[in-house]
Amino acid sequence: MENLKQIEDYVKSFETVNIDFDDCDSFEDFKQEGIEELDVYLQEDFGIGYEDLDETLKKNFIKLLRRDWNEYF
């Protein structure tokens, strides 16, 4: 990936404010919403999808989602 550093920074700084916590009954729902939201932004900005990320970036993103979920609940 050409823009690896930009993509890494983008994933690390992803804001979950666009996800409606009230629509999520569980962390799994929230995680799925987050992945779908990130996927849209990655497609628009970099022409790649969530599945194109390496495993480390995916794990870091899930940790970010878990942190935000725990802070909300």
Side-chain angles (χ1 to χ4, degrees):
M1 283 185 258
E2 295 174 14
N3 303 320
L4 185 57
K5 179 68 175 140
Q6 279 183 295
I7 294 168
E8 287 174 351
D9 291 344
Y10 191 87
V11 171
K12 289 176 185 175
S13 65
F14 184 80
E15 296 284 334
T16 58
V17 295
N18 294 330
I19 302 170
D20 189 353
F21 284 86
D22 295 330
D23 288 344
C24 300
D25 295 326
S26 67
F27 174 70
E28 288 303 312
D29 291 344
F30 181 70
K31 182 173 88 173
Q32 187 59 40
E33 289 288 325
I35 289 171
E36 289 172 8
E37 189 81 17
L38 178 63
D39 190 65
V40 168
Y41 287 115
L42 288 172
Q43 290 285 348
E44 289 175 358
D45 294 347
F46 300 103
I48 65 166
Y50 175 80
E51 291 302 319
D52 297 317
L53 297 177
D54 70 20
E55 290 305 312
T56 300
L57 275 177
K58 288 180 184 178
K59 287 177 185 177
N60 288 340
F61 182 68
I62 300 304
K63 287 178 185 176
L64 179 144
L65 291 175
R66 176 61 74 183
R67 182 201 68 206
D68 288 0
W69 175 261
N70 288 340
E71 285 178 6
Y72 187 78
F73 291 100

